[in-house]
Each structure stands twice: as structure tokens, then as C-alpha cells.
Amino acid sequence: MIQVENLTHRKGQTTVIDGISLKIDDGEWVVIAGANGSGKTTLIKHFNGLLSPDRGVVRVNDTPVEADLLNARTTVGMVFQQPRDQLVAGTVAADVAFGPENLGLERNAIDTRVEQALETVGMSEKAQQRVHTLSGGEVARVALAGVLAMRPDHLICDEPFTGLDTTSRQAVYERLCEISASGTSIIIVTHDLREVIAPADRLVVLSDGQVGFNGAPTELPADDDRFNISLPTTPDWECYSIHPGQRLLIVLTLVESYWFRWVLHLLRFVAPRRVVLSYWLLSPVSYSPADGVDRRVCYADISLQCHF
């Protein structure tokens, strides 16, 4: 658990964080949103001691961060907005191993952590690849693997989809969903709520260094313009082009998934014989709204193959 108590942080004469109190429970998916300059990144850098408060305290599992920086930095993992800046080694495997090596672990334990982390992010086959040859999406996944190798209880991602194309965004999002399902709390800092709001347990909106909203995403009206953020409406349908060999992951509400399953089932019968459209739906993820509408979500994984 992360507890923030009356946190204040100043840069020169400017108060960036102004008396924030906040609690993030184990296993929660929390989205921290707000306009540019609202204090989002400054706030999360206090969670593992990258910044020190001018007033107040941050506790990780009841221990003040500044009292045990090692505990904070192994318990709270962070992927920065520019993940390439986190890469410190020549190859993918060596980079992921850097954190566990600095914990003084045995070689066998380090190798096991590296193998498991790369498998989680789908990068096992590129373990020996040079990091400078990776695409933007692959860099993001390697940075994520490096954090996962430390086995944190809380994972913070600062603008995780910045600069990524659609395929890479989907890949990173899939990994975050899997990590969340394993019990790790996910903290996403973003101004783009499209991908991350559906599975979120809580939305925290910052405004001028203070908490302007803290609650279930459904409690904040979609047309609320106080905080200069854009909440996607539900349902939020988009048009997608699926090319042969491509996989597509989209988020559906529980009700939408029933219709979606029926439509795809129909398409499989009317499509030409050489076209194979396959799909599967993950089990619904709990989503507790305040208005009584069932907004549990499913993740629809679709693939298209053509045989000539």
C-alpha cells in the first residue's frame, strides 16, 4: 500500500504539489490524470524517493520512503515517459538483469527473473538483441521487463503510450492487463484516457497541484470540463481495419461483448472460405460503477488469416 500524507513539493517559489493526501491499495488499477503542469509526474516521483517532499510523508507498506529507499525502489517500480532513457546495457537480457544484479542476488536467481520478465512482456526471443536496434514498442516492453524483474508490488507507468503506434500500444496494454491480473497494482499517469480508463478501479485528477477528483471513473461526468481532460464515453465504438496476420485487442463492456460475439459469429459464416476470422474473449474484469450500470469489461482478441 502507498500512503501519501499532506504532501507538499516546491520548485523554487512555485508550489507544484500542495498538501496532497492519497492512498493506493494493493492490487488497485489507478489512473492519475490532469492537464500538463498539474503535478502528476512530480507526485509519482515521491512514491519511490526520486524526489523528496518539502512537507508531509509518503509511506510504502507503512514504511516512510526516506527511511528505506531500497525498500521503496524495489517495491514501487517505475517506467518513465521516455523508456529508452532507462536502458543501461547493450543487450535486452543484460538490461533486464541490471536491477536484480544490484540487489546482490545469485546468478541463477537473476537468470530466472530475467527469463520470467521477458516472457511476460513477449520479448524472450529477443533476449540477445542489441537494444539500439529495438523499435519504440519493443523499447517500452524491455523497460517494463526491467521493472518487473525487480518484482515490485506497485507498477507506475508515466504516459506509457506516448509515441507508440497502434500495434505497440495494444502490446503494452495487453501486458499491463496481465500484470494487473497477477495482483500487482497498476498506476498509470496520463492525459489520454482511452486505453486505461476501462479497467481502472479509481481515477485521480490533479489540478494545480491538488486532488480535484478521487473516485470511480463513472462518478466523473464525461462532459465535466473543469480539469481539461477528456473522458471516453461508453460505449465507445471505433472503426478498425484488420489486415491478414494482424491481431487486434479492443475493450468492450459486458453488454457490448454479447453483441460483438454474435456479430463475429455471423461474419465467420458469410466470409469467403479462404478467409478465417478467429476471436476470443477474456473473462470479464470487475468494474464497480456508482450509477448501477454493469460496466465490467472484456478484452476481445481478434485475428484474421487468409489462405490462397
Side-chain angles (χ1 to χ4, degrees):
M1 181 171 60
I2 299 174
Q3 295 170 286
V4 181
E5 301 171 5
N6 196 31
L7 181 69
T8 296
H9 183 87
R10 298 183 182 90
K11 291 182 180 179
Q13 300 301 314
T14 303
T15 300
V16 183
I17 299 295
D18 187 8
I20 286 181
S21 294
L22 183 68
K23 184 175 75 169
I24 298 174
D25 291 324
D26 295 342
E28 261 196 305
W29 184 304
V30 177
V31 174
I32 300 178
N36 290 337
S38 60
K40 304 185 299 295
T41 298
T42 300
L43 172 63
I44 61 170
K45 284 184 175 180
H46 287 82
F47 292 180
N48 63 359
L50 294 178
L51 289 177
S52 297
D54 290 298
R55 188 174 68 241
V57 64
V58 177
R59 304 179 191 275
V60 175
N61 296 338
D62 295 326
T63 300
V65 168
E66 294 187 312
D68 192 344
L69 284 176
L70 179 61
N71 170 70
R73 292 173 182 174
T74 53
T75 304
V76 181
M78 185 180 298
V79 180
F80 298 118
Q81 185 171 350
Q82 300 296 331
R84 195 174 291 274
D85 295 341
Q86 285 185 246
L87 305 188
V88 296
T91 66
V92 168
D95 189 85
V96 176
F98 180 80
E101 286 172 346
N102 280 276
L103 293 178
L105 301 177
E106 298 289 337
R107 189 71 245 176
N108 288 342
I110 294 172
D111 291 342
T112 297
R113 289 195 181 202
V114 171
E115 180 180 344
Q116 292 176 345
L118 289 176
E119 182 178 357
T120 298
V121 301
M123 291 290 287
S124 297
E125 295 181 356
K126 299 194 175 185
Q128 300 308 317
Q129 186 164 328
R130 306 294 295 180
V131 296
H132 72 271
T133 66
L134 300 175
S135 68
E138 290 169 339
V139 166
R141 284 190 279 166
V142 171
L144 181 58
V147 173
L148 294 179
M150 301 295 285
R151 297 187 176 172
D153 295 331
H154 309 278
L155 174 63
I156 302 174
C157 296
D158 191 358
E159 300 285 359
F161 305 113
T162 298
L164 300 184
D165 59 24
T166 301
T167 301
S168 298
R169 293 167 75 98
Q170 292 167 2
V172 171
Y173 183 61
E174 285 184 63
R175 303 310 174 223
L176 290 176
C177 291
E178 292 170 359
I179 295 165
S180 175
S182 72
T184 302
S185 64
I186 304 293
I187 304 164
I188 304 291
V189 176
T190 186
H191 66 278
D192 184 354
L193 301 174
R194 287 176 296 171
E195 282 93 349
V196 297
I197 199 63
D201 298 300
R202 191 148 49 97
L203 172 64
V204 177
V205 183
L206 299 189
S207 178
D208 296 326
Q210 297 180 326
V211 175
F213 175 84
N214 182 7
T218 50
E219 295 175 353
L220 184 65
D223 59 354
D224 193 320
D225 59 0
R226 288 177 297 164
F227 308 115
N228 196 27
I229 61 171
S230 178
L231 279 171
T233 57
T234 302
D236 186 13
W237 291 97
E238 295 185 33
C239 295
Y240 296 95
S241 297
I242 312 175
H243 304 289
Q246 180 184 0
R247 291 177 61 203
L248 177 68
L249 184 82
I250 63 175
V251 181
L252 303 167
T253 65
L254 196 58
V255 174
E256 289 169 354
S257 70
Y258 297 140
W259 285 99
F260 193 75
R261 183 186 288 109
W262 182 85
V263 170
L264 286 183
H265 188 66
L266 179 62
L267 286 175
R268 293 174 69 177
F269 282 98
V270 301
R273 288 179 178 270
R274 65 177 181 273
V275 177
V276 178
L277 180 69
S278 60
Y279 70 93
W280 54 280
L281 297 173
L282 279 69
S283 300
V285 177
S286 296
Y287 186 54
S288 303
D291 55 9
V293 179
D294 189 350
R295 286 196 177 90
R296 288 180 294 168
V297 296
C298 296
Y299 304 101
D301 191 327
I302 314 162
S303 63
L304 178 67
Q305 301 290 336
C306 294
H307 303 278
F308 298 99

Short mmCIF file of all heavy atoms in Angstrom, two decimals, residues 184-233:
data_model
loop_
_atom_site.label_atom_id
_atom_site.label_comp_id
_atom_site.label_asym_id
_atom_site.label_seq_id
_atom_site.Cartn_x
_atom_site.Cartn_y
_atom_site.Cartn_z
N THR A 184 -0.53 -7.31 -9.07
CA THR A 184 0.28 -6.09 -8.94
C THR A 184 -0.60 -4.87 -9.16
O THR A 184 -1.41 -4.85 -10.08
CB THR A 184 1.41 -6.09 -9.99
OG1 THR A 184 2.22 -7.26 -9.81
CG2 THR A 184 2.28 -4.84 -9.88
N SER A 185 -0.46 -3.88 -8.32
CA SER A 185 -1.23 -2.65 -8.54
C SER A 185 -0.61 -1.88 -9.70
O SER A 185 0.61 -1.84 -9.87
CB SER A 185 -1.28 -1.79 -7.28
OG SER A 185 0.00 -1.35 -6.92
N ILE A 186 -1.47 -1.28 -10.51
CA ILE A 186 -1.05 -0.52 -11.69
C ILE A 186 -1.42 0.94 -11.47
O ILE A 186 -2.57 1.26 -11.16
CB ILE A 186 -1.75 -1.04 -12.96
CG1 ILE A 186 -1.49 -2.54 -13.15
CG2 ILE A 186 -1.29 -0.25 -14.18
CD1 ILE A 186 -0.06 -2.90 -13.45
N ILE A 187 -0.44 1.82 -11.65
CA ILE A 187 -0.67 3.26 -11.53
C ILE A 187 -0.27 3.89 -12.86
O ILE A 187 0.92 3.87 -13.22
CB ILE A 187 0.14 3.87 -10.37
CG1 ILE A 187 -0.20 3.15 -9.06
CG2 ILE A 187 -0.12 5.36 -10.25
CD1 ILE A 187 0.79 3.40 -7.95
N ILE A 188 -1.23 4.40 -13.59
CA ILE A 188 -0.98 4.99 -14.89
C ILE A 188 -1.09 6.50 -14.79
O ILE A 188 -2.11 7.02 -14.32
CB ILE A 188 -1.98 4.48 -15.95
CG1 ILE A 188 -1.97 2.95 -16.02
CG2 ILE A 188 -1.68 5.09 -17.31
CD1 ILE A 188 -0.71 2.37 -16.59
N VAL A 189 -0.06 7.20 -15.23
CA VAL A 189 -0.09 8.66 -15.29
C VAL A 189 -0.28 9.05 -16.75
O VAL A 189 0.52 8.66 -17.61
CB VAL A 189 1.21 9.26 -14.75
CG1 VAL A 189 1.21 10.77 -14.92
CG2 VAL A 189 1.40 8.88 -13.30
N THR A 190 -1.34 9.78 -17.06
CA THR A 190 -1.64 10.06 -18.45
C THR A 190 -2.61 11.23 -18.58
O THR A 190 -3.29 11.60 -17.62
CB THR A 190 -2.24 8.82 -19.15
OG1 THR A 190 -2.40 9.07 -20.53
CG2 THR A 190 -3.60 8.47 -18.54
N HIS A 191 -2.64 11.80 -19.76
CA HIS A 191 -3.71 12.75 -20.11
C HIS A 191 -4.62 12.13 -21.17
O HIS A 191 -5.64 12.71 -21.52
CB HIS A 191 -3.10 14.05 -20.64
CG HIS A 191 -2.38 13.88 -21.94
ND1 HIS A 191 -1.09 13.42 -22.02
CD2 HIS A 191 -2.79 14.08 -23.22
CE1 HIS A 191 -0.72 13.37 -23.29
NE2 HIS A 191 -1.73 13.76 -24.04
N ASP A 192 -4.23 10.92 -21.68
CA ASP A 192 -5.00 10.21 -22.70
C ASP A 192 -5.64 9.00 -22.05
O ASP A 192 -4.97 8.01 -21.76
CB ASP A 192 -4.08 9.79 -23.84
CG ASP A 192 -4.83 9.13 -24.99
OD1 ASP A 192 -6.04 8.89 -24.85
OD2 ASP A 192 -4.19 8.86 -26.03
N LEU A 193 -6.94 9.06 -21.81
CA LEU A 193 -7.62 8.05 -21.01
C LEU A 193 -8.21 6.90 -21.84
O LEU A 193 -8.84 6.01 -21.27
CB LEU A 193 -8.74 8.69 -20.19
CG LEU A 193 -8.28 9.78 -19.22
CD1 LEU A 193 -9.48 10.45 -18.58
CD2 LEU A 193 -7.37 9.21 -18.15
N ARG A 194 -8.02 6.89 -23.14
CA ARG A 194 -8.72 5.93 -23.99
C ARG A 194 -8.47 4.48 -23.60
O ARG A 194 -9.40 3.71 -23.42
CB ARG A 194 -8.33 6.14 -25.46
CG ARG A 194 -8.92 7.39 -26.09
CD ARG A 194 -8.40 7.56 -27.49
NE ARG A 194 -6.94 7.77 -27.50
CZ ARG A 194 -6.20 7.78 -28.61
NH1 ARG A 194 -6.77 7.56 -29.79
NH2 ARG A 194 -4.90 8.00 -28.54
N GLU A 195 -7.20 4.09 -23.49
CA GLU A 195 -6.90 2.69 -23.20
C GLU A 195 -7.06 2.32 -21.74
O GLU A 195 -7.42 1.20 -21.41
CB GLU A 195 -5.46 2.35 -23.63
CG GLU A 195 -5.29 2.14 -25.11
CD GLU A 195 -4.87 3.41 -25.81
OE1 GLU A 195 -4.92 4.47 -25.15
OE2 GLU A 195 -4.50 3.36 -27.00
N VAL A 196 -6.78 3.26 -20.84
CA VAL A 196 -6.54 2.89 -19.44
C VAL A 196 -7.74 3.07 -18.52
O VAL A 196 -7.71 2.60 -17.39
CB VAL A 196 -5.35 3.68 -18.88
CG1 VAL A 196 -4.07 3.33 -19.65
CG2 VAL A 196 -5.60 5.17 -18.95
N ILE A 197 -8.78 3.73 -18.99
CA ILE A 197 -9.86 4.04 -18.06
C ILE A 197 -10.81 2.87 -17.83
O ILE A 197 -11.38 2.72 -16.76
CB ILE A 197 -10.66 5.30 -18.55
CG1 ILE A 197 -11.46 5.90 -17.39
CG2 ILE A 197 -11.54 4.94 -19.72
CD1 ILE A 197 -10.61 6.42 -16.26
N ALA A 198 -10.98 2.01 -18.84
CA ALA A 198 -11.95 0.92 -18.72
C ALA A 198 -11.65 -0.02 -17.56
O ALA A 198 -12.55 -0.35 -16.78
CB ALA A 198 -12.05 0.15 -20.04
N PRO A 199 -10.40 -0.50 -17.39
CA PRO A 199 -10.14 -1.40 -16.26
C PRO A 199 -9.82 -0.69 -14.95
O PRO A 199 -9.55 -1.36 -13.95
CB PRO A 199 -8.91 -2.19 -16.75
CG PRO A 199 -8.19 -1.23 -17.62
CD PRO A 199 -9.25 -0.39 -18.29
N ALA A 200 -9.85 0.64 -14.93
CA ALA A 200 -9.43 1.37 -13.73
C ALA A 200 -10.43 1.22 -12.59
O ALA A 200 -11.63 1.34 -12.78
CB ALA A 200 -9.24 2.85 -14.06
N ASP A 201 -9.90 0.98 -11.40
CA ASP A 201 -10.73 0.98 -10.19
C ASP A 201 -10.99 2.40 -9.72
O ASP A 201 -12.03 2.69 -9.14
CB ASP A 201 -10.02 0.21 -9.06
CG ASP A 201 -9.78 -1.24 -9.42
OD1 ASP A 201 -10.77 -1.96 -9.67
OD2 ASP A 201 -8.61 -1.65 -9.47
N ARG A 202 -10.01 3.28 -10.00
CA ARG A 202 -10.12 4.63 -9.46
C ARG A 202 -9.44 5.62 -10.40
O ARG A 202 -8.43 5.31 -11.03
CB ARG A 202 -9.49 4.69 -8.07
CG ARG A 202 -9.77 5.95 -7.29
CD ARG A 202 -9.83 5.63 -5.79
NE ARG A 202 -8.71 4.86 -5.33
CZ ARG A 202 -7.62 5.38 -4.75
NH1 ARG A 202 -7.52 6.68 -4.57
NH2 ARG A 202 -6.64 4.60 -4.31
N LEU A 203 -10.02 6.80 -10.47
CA LEU A 203 -9.45 7.91 -11.23
C LEU A 203 -9.12 9.04 -10.26
O LEU A 203 -9.98 9.47 -9.49
CB LEU A 203 -10.45 8.39 -12.29
CG LEU A 203 -10.08 9.67 -13.05
CD1 LEU A 203 -8.82 9.47 -13.87
CD2 LEU A 203 -11.25 10.11 -13.93
N VAL A 204 -7.86 9.48 -10.31
CA VAL A 204 -7.43 10.62 -9.50
C VAL A 204 -7.04 11.73 -10.48
O VAL A 204 -6.18 11.54 -11.34
CB VAL A 204 -6.22 10.25 -8.62
CG1 VAL A 204 -5.74 11.48 -7.85
CG2 VAL A 204 -6.59 9.12 -7.66
N VAL A 205 -7.70 12.87 -10.36
CA VAL A 205 -7.42 14.00 -11.25
C VAL A 205 -6.76 15.11 -10.45
O VAL A 205 -7.30 15.55 -9.42
CB VAL A 205 -8.71 14.52 -11.91
CG1 VAL A 205 -8.37 15.65 -12.89
CG2 VAL A 205 -9.43 13.40 -12.65
N LEU A 206 -5.59 15.55 -10.93
CA LEU A 206 -4.88 16.65 -10.27
C LEU A 206 -5.16 17.96 -10.99
O LEU A 206 -5.31 18.01 -12.21
CB LEU A 206 -3.38 16.39 -10.27
CG LEU A 206 -2.86 15.15 -9.55
CD1 LEU A 206 -1.33 15.19 -9.46
CD2 LEU A 206 -3.47 14.99 -8.17
N SER A 207 -5.24 19.01 -10.21
CA SER A 207 -5.44 20.35 -10.75
C SER A 207 -4.67 21.33 -9.89
O SER A 207 -4.91 21.42 -8.67
CB SER A 207 -6.94 20.70 -10.75
OG SER A 207 -7.15 22.01 -11.22
N ASP A 208 -3.70 22.01 -10.50
CA ASP A 208 -2.88 22.99 -9.78
C ASP A 208 -2.25 22.41 -8.52
O ASP A 208 -2.23 23.04 -7.46
CB ASP A 208 -3.72 24.22 -9.42
CG ASP A 208 -4.21 24.97 -10.66
OD1 ASP A 208 -3.47 24.98 -11.66
OD2 ASP A 208 -5.32 25.52 -10.60
N GLY A 209 -1.76 21.16 -8.64
CA GLY A 209 -1.05 20.55 -7.53
C GLY A 209 -1.90 19.99 -6.42
O GLY A 209 -1.39 19.56 -5.38
N GLN A 210 -3.22 19.97 -6.63
CA GLN A 210 -4.12 19.43 -5.63
C GLN A 210 -5.01 18.35 -6.27
O GLN A 210 -5.13 18.28 -7.50
CB GLN A 210 -5.01 20.53 -5.04
CG GLN A 210 -4.23 21.61 -4.30
CD GLN A 210 -5.13 22.67 -3.73
OE1 GLN A 210 -6.16 23.03 -4.31
NE2 GLN A 210 -4.75 23.22 -2.58
N VAL A 211 -5.62 17.51 -5.42
CA VAL A 211 -6.54 16.49 -5.92
C VAL A 211 -7.89 17.13 -6.17
O VAL A 211 -8.58 17.56 -5.24
CB VAL A 211 -6.67 15.33 -4.91
CG1 VAL A 211 -7.72 14.33 -5.39
CG2 VAL A 211 -5.32 14.63 -4.73
N GLY A 212 -8.26 17.20 -7.46
CA GLY A 212 -9.56 17.77 -7.81
C GLY A 212 -10.66 16.76 -7.84
O GLY A 212 -11.84 17.08 -7.66
N PHE A 213 -10.29 15.48 -8.10
CA PHE A 213 -11.27 14.39 -8.12
C PHE A 213 -10.56 13.11 -7.71
O PHE A 213 -9.44 12.84 -8.12
CB PHE A 213 -11.88 14.23 -9.52
CG PHE A 213 -12.82 13.06 -9.63
CD1 PHE A 213 -14.15 13.18 -9.24
CD2 PHE A 213 -12.38 11.84 -10.10
CE1 PHE A 213 -15.02 12.11 -9.33
CE2 PHE A 213 -13.24 10.75 -10.19
CZ PHE A 213 -14.56 10.88 -9.80
N ASN A 214 -11.25 12.29 -6.91
CA ASN A 214 -10.72 11.00 -6.48
C ASN A 214 -11.89 10.05 -6.27
O ASN A 214 -12.62 10.15 -5.28
CB ASN A 214 -9.91 11.17 -5.18
CG ASN A 214 -9.30 9.86 -4.71
OD1 ASN A 214 -9.35 8.84 -5.39
ND2 ASN A 214 -8.70 9.88 -3.52
N GLY A 215 -12.09 9.14 -7.23
CA GLY A 215 -13.21 8.23 -7.12
C GLY A 215 -13.31 7.32 -8.33
O GLY A 215 -12.41 7.28 -9.18
N ALA A 216 -14.40 6.56 -8.40
CA ALA A 216 -14.63 5.69 -9.56
C ALA A 216 -14.76 6.54 -10.81
O ALA A 216 -15.36 7.63 -10.77
CB ALA A 216 -15.90 4.87 -9.34
N PRO A 217 -14.22 6.09 -11.95
CA PRO A 217 -14.29 6.89 -13.17
C PRO A 217 -15.72 7.27 -13.57
O PRO A 217 -15.94 8.35 -14.12
CB PRO A 217 -13.66 5.98 -14.23
CG PRO A 217 -12.72 5.11 -13.44
CD PRO A 217 -13.41 4.88 -12.14
N THR A 218 -16.68 6.40 -13.25
CA THR A 218 -18.06 6.68 -13.64
C THR A 218 -18.68 7.80 -12.82
O THR A 218 -19.75 8.30 -13.17
CB THR A 218 -18.91 5.41 -13.49
OG1 THR A 218 -18.70 4.86 -12.19
CG2 THR A 218 -18.52 4.38 -14.54
N GLU A 219 -18.03 8.19 -11.72
CA GLU A 219 -18.57 9.26 -10.90
C GLU A 219 -18.24 10.64 -11.47
O GLU A 219 -18.80 11.65 -11.03
CB GLU A 219 -18.02 9.15 -9.47
CG GLU A 219 -18.47 7.90 -8.72
CD GLU A 219 -17.83 7.77 -7.37
OE1 GLU A 219 -16.92 8.59 -7.05
OE2 GLU A 219 -18.19 6.85 -6.61
N LEU A 220 -17.33 10.69 -12.43
CA LEU A 220 -16.97 11.96 -13.07
C LEU A 220 -17.69 12.05 -14.41
O LEU A 220 -17.43 11.25 -15.31
CB LEU A 220 -15.46 12.04 -13.29
CG LEU A 220 -14.93 13.36 -13.87
CD1 LEU A 220 -15.15 14.50 -12.88
CD2 LEU A 220 -13.45 13.25 -14.22
N PRO A 221 -18.62 12.98 -14.57
CA PRO A 221 -19.37 13.09 -15.82
C PRO A 221 -18.44 13.28 -17.02
O PRO A 221 -17.43 13.99 -16.94
CB PRO A 221 -20.25 14.32 -15.61
CG PRO A 221 -20.35 14.46 -14.13
CD PRO A 221 -19.04 13.98 -13.59
N ALA A 222 -18.79 12.62 -18.14
CA ALA A 222 -17.95 12.68 -19.34
C ALA A 222 -17.82 14.10 -19.87
O ALA A 222 -16.84 14.45 -20.52
CB ALA A 222 -18.51 11.75 -20.42
N ASP A 223 -18.82 14.96 -19.60
CA ASP A 223 -18.78 16.33 -20.12
C ASP A 223 -18.22 17.33 -19.10
O ASP A 223 -18.31 18.54 -19.28
CB ASP A 223 -20.18 16.77 -20.56
CG ASP A 223 -21.20 16.70 -19.43
OD1 ASP A 223 -20.85 16.20 -18.33
OD2 ASP A 223 -22.35 17.12 -19.65
N ASP A 224 -17.63 16.82 -18.00
CA ASP A 224 -17.04 17.69 -16.99
C ASP A 224 -15.76 18.32 -17.57
O ASP A 224 -14.81 17.61 -17.90
CB ASP A 224 -16.72 16.88 -15.74
CG ASP A 224 -16.38 17.76 -14.54
OD1 ASP A 224 -15.70 18.78 -14.74
OD2 ASP A 224 -16.81 17.43 -13.43
N ASP A 225 -15.74 19.62 -17.69
CA ASP A 225 -14.60 20.30 -18.31
C ASP A 225 -13.74 21.07 -17.31
O ASP A 225 -12.91 21.90 -17.68
CB ASP A 225 -15.08 21.25 -19.42
CG ASP A 225 -16.04 22.32 -18.89
OD1 ASP A 225 -16.32 22.32 -17.67
OD2 ASP A 225 -16.48 23.16 -19.69
N ARG A 226 -13.90 20.77 -16.02
CA ARG A 226 -13.14 21.51 -15.01
C ARG A 226 -11.64 21.23 -15.08
O ARG A 226 -10.82 22.09 -14.76
CB ARG A 226 -13.64 21.13 -13.61
CG ARG A 226 -15.01 21.67 -13.23
CD ARG A 226 -15.40 21.15 -11.86
NE ARG A 226 -15.53 19.69 -11.85
CZ ARG A 226 -15.56 18.96 -10.74
NH1 ARG A 226 -15.44 19.55 -9.55
NH2 ARG A 226 -15.72 17.65 -10.82
N PHE A 227 -11.25 20.01 -15.49
CA PHE A 227 -9.86 19.59 -15.36
C PHE A 227 -9.13 19.47 -16.69
O PHE A 227 -8.00 18.98 -16.74
CB PHE A 227 -9.80 18.26 -14.61
CG PHE A 227 -10.55 18.26 -13.31
CD1 PHE A 227 -11.67 17.45 -13.13
CD2 PHE A 227 -10.16 19.08 -12.27
CE1 PHE A 227 -12.36 17.44 -11.95
CE2 PHE A 227 -10.85 19.09 -11.08
CZ PHE A 227 -11.96 18.28 -10.90
N ASN A 228 -9.78 19.84 -17.77
CA ASN A 228 -9.15 19.80 -19.08
C ASN A 228 -8.67 18.40 -19.47
O ASN A 228 -7.57 18.21 -19.99
CB ASN A 228 -7.97 20.78 -19.15
CG ASN A 228 -7.53 21.08 -20.57
OD1 ASN A 228 -8.33 20.98 -21.50
ND2 ASN A 228 -6.26 21.43 -20.74
N ILE A 229 -9.49 17.41 -19.14
CA ILE A 229 -9.23 16.04 -19.59
C ILE A 229 -10.46 15.56 -20.34
O ILE A 229 -11.56 16.09 -20.17
CB ILE A 229 -8.92 15.08 -18.42
CG1 ILE A 229 -10.11 15.01 -17.46
CG2 ILE A 229 -7.65 15.48 -17.69
CD1 ILE A 229 -9.96 13.94 -16.40
N SER A 230 -10.25 14.54 -21.18
CA SER A 230 -11.35 14.03 -21.99
C SER A 230 -11.64 12.60 -21.60
O SER A 230 -10.79 11.71 -21.76
CB SER A 230 -10.98 14.10 -23.48
OG SER A 230 -12.01 13.57 -24.28
N LEU A 231 -12.83 12.37 -21.04
CA LEU A 231 -13.24 11.02 -20.68
C LEU A 231 -13.96 10.37 -21.85
O LEU A 231 -14.90 10.94 -22.40
CB LEU A 231 -14.18 11.05 -19.48
CG LEU A 231 -13.56 11.19 -18.10
CD1 LEU A 231 -14.65 11.43 -17.06
CD2 LEU A 231 -12.78 9.94 -17.75
N PRO A 232 -13.53 9.16 -22.26
CA PRO A 232 -14.25 8.47 -23.33
C PRO A 232 -15.63 8.06 -22.85
O PRO A 232 -15.82 7.71 -21.68
CB PRO A 232 -13.37 7.24 -23.62
CG PRO A 232 -12.59 7.02 -22.37
CD PRO A 232 -12.38 8.39 -21.77
N THR A 233 -16.61 8.12 -23.73
CA THR A 233 -17.96 7.72 -23.38
C THR A 233 -18.10 6.21 -23.53
O THR A 233 -17.30 5.56 -24.18
CB THR A 233 -18.99 8.40 -24.28
OG1 THR A 233 -18.68 8.09 -25.64
CG2 THR A 233 -18.94 9.91 -24.07
#
